[in-house]
Amino acid sequence: MNRLKRLIIAAILLSPSALALTLDEGRQQGRVGETLSGYIAPRTEDKETQALVEAINQGRRAEYQRIARENRLTTDGVAGIAGQKLVERALPGEYVRGINGRWFKKVE
């Protein structure tokens, strides 16, 4: 299982650098946040944010599918593991969606 977690984290961190900067900006500006599903969700409804969310989530979905195939797991299972890690690793000031579906800003 540790190998799987490392693969998931590496896949997330190896997203294209142009999107990573935009994703970082979206996180810092509070426009997007991490969810336990493994996908980012918009906190604002402008076109730029929506396009970012679609692009990031499309890339994540493809990576989760690849990891799931290689490890004989479900895509949703891989996404759930990634989501938990992404929420835990969110930086102070970034938003995450809790189990109750509400957004909160990380403080530590």
Side-chain angles (χ1 to χ4, degrees):
M1 193 62 122
N2 286 334
R3 179 177 176 260
L4 175 61
K5 288 179 184 178
R6 284 192 298 264
L7 283 171
I8 291 169
I9 291 167
I12 292 165
L13 295 176
L14 294 175
S15 61
S17 61
L19 287 179
L21 292 174
T22 304
L23 177 57
D24 287 343
E25 289 172 359
R27 287 175 175 157
Q28 292 166 358
Q29 295 170 12
R31 294 166 71 174
V32 299
E34 293 293 346
T35 70
L36 293 169
S37 69
Y39 301 97
I40 61 169
R43 294 194 67 250
T44 61
E45 298 199 21
D46 60 278
K47 289 181 183 180
E48 187 178 28
T49 300
Q50 293 295 332
L52 172 66
V53 168
E54 288 175 24
I56 294 296
N57 287 343
Q58 183 178 28
R60 286 184 179 184
R61 189 172 299 107
E63 199 58 31
Y64 297 158
Q65 289 170 341
R66 183 187 66 75
I67 292 168
R69 269 192 315 273
E70 290 177 1
N71 293 280
R72 298 180 187 177
L73 299 169
T74 66
T75 301
D76 287 342
V78 172
I81 293 168
Q84 183 178 1
K85 294 296 179 188
L86 288 163
V87 167
E88 288 172 5
R89 292 171 187 243
L91 299 175
E94 294 179 351
Y95 284 88
V96 297
R97 186 181 285 162
I99 289 175
N100 62 3
R102 294 187 179 169
W103 290 108
F104 65 94
K105 191 182 272 192
K106 291 280 289 227
V107 292
E108 50 176 83

